[in-house]
Amino acid sequence: SQISCYEADVRAVARNKWFDVPQVQLNDLQQNKTCVIVGTVFKQMQLKPNILRELSENVNLPPKPERKRYTHQTDVVYLEDETQRISLVGDIDIHETITGTVICAKGKETAGGKFEVEEWSYCGLPAQLNSELSEPVSDDRYVAIISGISLGDPQYDPMPLQLFVDLVTGQLGSLKDQTFYSKVVRMIVAGDSLSKHTRDSTSAKQAKYLTTKTKAASISAAQELDDVLTQLVSCIFVDLMPGQYDPASFSLPQQPLHRCIFPQAAQYTSFQSVTNPYEADIDGISFLGTSGQNIHNIQQYTKLRDSVKIAETTLKCRHIAPTCPDTLGCYPYDEEDPFILRDCPHVYFVGNQKKFDAKMSEGDQGQKTLVVSVPKFFDSNQVVLVNLKDLSCFPVSVATLIGEDSVSMEKTGGADSDEDGDDDEILPDVNILPDDEEMGDME
């Protein structure tokens, strides 16, 4: 279980916060006596889908419409350990707690058999192997992160993506543009490269003789993606992650997309098909990221909406996908949970979000992690650039206007840089249009 993996760390956090309050097991609670308990959060939700209940109650009835949110005012949150569970009340927001997270709580048991919470806390950021980089990058070098391209969508416009590809490959822009984009050393494609419209479920229900001459929409979309990747891998390294709508396994962790889908790009050693979640070390900077399913699932079962705040919470509870396997599908593991965070990354990104945002999260032991919300390219036409030199982060917006193409850049400061960035840095000779509303404040 999750609690057995880092129970000692959670109890250490509790001792530091409430050193004069005893820690007890749930079966040793005494009424009206202040104590500290440690356990795993579980939420009993009235609207949570339950296939057995639906089959027993709604026989011969049409299926219920799918909900975007499953929170309800009657939801109850429990804390459970190896002995039993107890419902939590008091100073804890039920709709902001996340099932599967391990917490410590200070309070006392009431006469009604509930635990009244006074304070509670997550475990905190895990240890960072090299919080102070021993060999910092001397020059500006960027990692580009893009997600949600959605090839194959009826409303897809290929021009913005091709404009960015031409910028990165040096086929577009002035000398300043080419100088700047030559510093992009790697690109991470964070899932949903293909649109949900390429997953035609109706053909699977038809007789085979009716679909013999039908070409799947995913084939042409995959060929188009192969063409785009081939242009990129001829100049830079590209890591391709699967997403919710890509032709990959449904359960997390998603396995790499098969290389036979990309016959042209797969011929290059600079092309790499990777898993979701994905972890990499780039010039001494550790990257960890997902295609966004873990964030979207938490948003469905809580009232949390801020993608960066949710991602930071998963760091603090040391679990990338705490709702697995309760509400998020995952491969069954009986010995070790692959989503538990052992080390704190320098950059933690989540793809396919509504908008760009970024925050520098700091731990009690000097850990620093840049948390990045990567927007869907299909909706925003934005690609996020992370500077390996100082972990500054900003989006590049690519837009097509009538009779004119434009590229704009919004920049935010990193861990050790000013909010306006380095004045001496050579920026592209394009329309620099900072937008304060879209800037991620590096707090």
Side-chain angles (χ1 to χ4, degrees):
S1 63
Q2 295 180 23
I3 188 173
S4 62
C5 296
Y6 42 86
E7 180 180 7
D9 295 333
V10 180
R11 294 193 178 278
V13 171
R15 281 193 296 271
N16 292 333
K17 292 178 67 70
W18 312 296
F19 59 89
D20 56 342
V21 181
Q23 299 183 21
V24 300
Q25 296 285 342
L26 293 184
N27 58 351
D28 294 330
L29 286 174
Q30 299 179 14
Q31 289 186 9
N32 300 321
K33 185 175 181 180
T34 303
C35 61
V36 174
I37 57 176
V38 175
T40 305
V41 173
F42 175 77
K43 295 173 67 175
Q44 181 176 313
M45 307 183 68
Q46 177 180 340
L47 300 179
K48 185 172 73 172
N50 187 319
I51 184 62
L52 296 179
R53 184 177 62 202
E54 292 176 4
L55 288 175
S56 62
E57 296 178 356
N58 299 325
V59 178
N60 298 326
L61 293 179
K64 297 180 181 179
E66 184 178 356
R67 294 176 176 268
K68 292 184 178 179
R69 314 290 180 204
Y70 295 97
T71 56
H72 192 266
Q73 59 184 3
T74 60
D75 294 344
V76 181
V77 60
Y78 292 91
L79 193 70
E80 58 183 22
D81 60 10
E82 295 87 349
T83 60
Q84 65 181 53
R85 67 168 54 169
I86 189 171
S87 62
L88 302 181
V89 295
D91 191 13
I92 184 169
D93 191 337
I94 295 176
H95 299 299
E96 291 192 0
T97 56
I98 304 172
T99 292
T101 55
V102 178
I103 67 170
C104 54
K106 173 189 173 185
K108 56 187 176 182
E109 184 182 11
T110 63
K114 299 180 180 180
F115 190 82
E116 186 174 355
V117 178
E118 299 176 4
E119 297 179 71
W120 65 281
S121 175
Y122 290 115
C123 186
L125 299 182
Q128 200 165 43
L129 295 180
N130 48 348
S131 56
E132 297 295 335
L133 300 179
S134 57
E135 297 181 2
V137 178
S138 57
D139 300 325
D140 292 318
R141 278 184 282 182
Y142 297 95
V143 173
I145 308 175
I146 185 173
S147 68
I149 301 174
S150 296
L151 294 171
D153 192 282
Q155 305 298 324
Y156 172 71
D157 181 9
M159 185 60 69
L161 179 61
Q162 189 59 51
L163 281 174
F164 184 76
V165 171
D166 290 342
L167 283 170
V168 172
T169 55
Q171 302 181 55
L172 184 68
S174 64
L175 180 60
K176 286 186 177 180
D177 295 334
Q178 296 177 359
T179 301
F180 177 83
Y181 286 101
S182 66
K183 300 176 182 178
V184 177
V185 296
R186 200 182 195 105
M187 174 176 277
I188 300 175
V189 183
D192 284 359
S193 301
L194 271 59
S195 167
K196 63 180 180 180
H197 296 281
T198 61
R199 307 188 71 169
D200 186 9
S201 59
T202 59
S203 60
K205 302 177 183 179
Q206 294 178 335
K208 290 186 178 181
Y209 71 90
L210 295 176
T211 59
T212 52
K213 297 183 180 180
T214 303
K215 184 178 181 181
S218 58
I219 296 178
S220 58
Q223 291 173 345
E224 188 173 356
L225 178 60
D226 187 25
D227 293 337
V228 172
L229 292 175
T230 303
Q231 298 177 61
L232 289 169
V233 296
S234 64
C235 298
I236 61 174
F237 289 90
V238 176
D239 299 331
L240 178 64
M241 298 171 57
Q244 180 179 0
Y245 302 116
D246 293 325
S249 57
F250 169 77
S251 299
L252 295 179
Q254 288 181 294
Q255 299 307 298
L257 296 172
H258 202 285
R259 296 176 66 89
C260 70
I261 303 176
F262 315 104
Q264 301 177 78
Q267 298 180 16
Y268 291 81
T269 57
S270 53
F271 172 74
Q272 185 178 202
S273 184
V274 298
T275 61
N276 170 39
Y278 173 53
E279 187 176 17
D281 186 280
I282 306 175
D283 290 339
I285 306 296
S286 57
F287 280 72
L288 175 66
T290 73
S291 295
Q293 294 101 314
N294 57 333
I295 305 300
H296 297 155
N297 190 258
I298 292 175
Q299 289 174 335
Q300 282 186 305
Y301 292 90
T302 66
K303 289 188 177 180
L304 297 171
R305 298 293 177 263
D306 190 338
S307 299
V308 167
K309 182 179 179 180
I310 296 174
E312 186 180 23
T313 300
T314 61
L315 282 178
K316 291 181 178 179
C317 70
R318 303 190 184 183
H319 201 282
I320 301 175
T323 55
C324 285
D326 183 49
T327 56
L328 184 61
C330 73
Y331 188 83
Y333 290 90
D334 58 350
E335 294 183 358
E336 184 176 359
D337 190 336
F339 303 111
I340 291 178
L341 287 175
R342 307 294 182 183
D343 304 312
C344 189
H346 295 111
V347 179
Y348 179 41
F349 64 89
V350 290
N352 297 291
Q353 304 304 307
K354 290 185 177 180
K355 63 178 183 178
F356 164 79
D357 198 3
K359 177 183 178 181
M360 184 63 71
S361 180
E362 299 186 11
D364 297 334
Q365 301 176 358
Q367 310 98 312
K368 291 184 179 180
T369 299
L370 175 65
V371 184
V372 184
S373 170
V374 183
K376 292 182 180 180
F377 186 82
F378 178 80
D379 297 328
S380 65
N381 291 336
Q382 288 185 334
V383 181
V384 177
L385 298 186
V386 178
N387 193 340
L388 298 177
K389 179 181 179 180
D390 56 7
L391 294 187
S392 60
C393 175
F394 56 92
V396 173
S397 299
V398 185
T400 55
L401 305 178
I402 299 178
E404 179 183 2
D405 298 334
S406 67
V407 180
S408 64
M409 175 179 297
E410 297 92 16
K411 188 170 183 182
T412 74
D416 300 316
S417 64
D418 297 332
E419 186 172 353
D420 295 329
D422 189 354
D423 295 336
D424 298 331
E425 183 179 2
I426 300 178
L427 297 176
D429 188 16
V430 294
N431 299 327
I432 312 263
L433 303 174
D435 188 348
D436 294 336
E437 295 182 356
E438 294 188 354
M439 281 191 176
D441 298 328
M442 313 307 295
E443 299 177 0

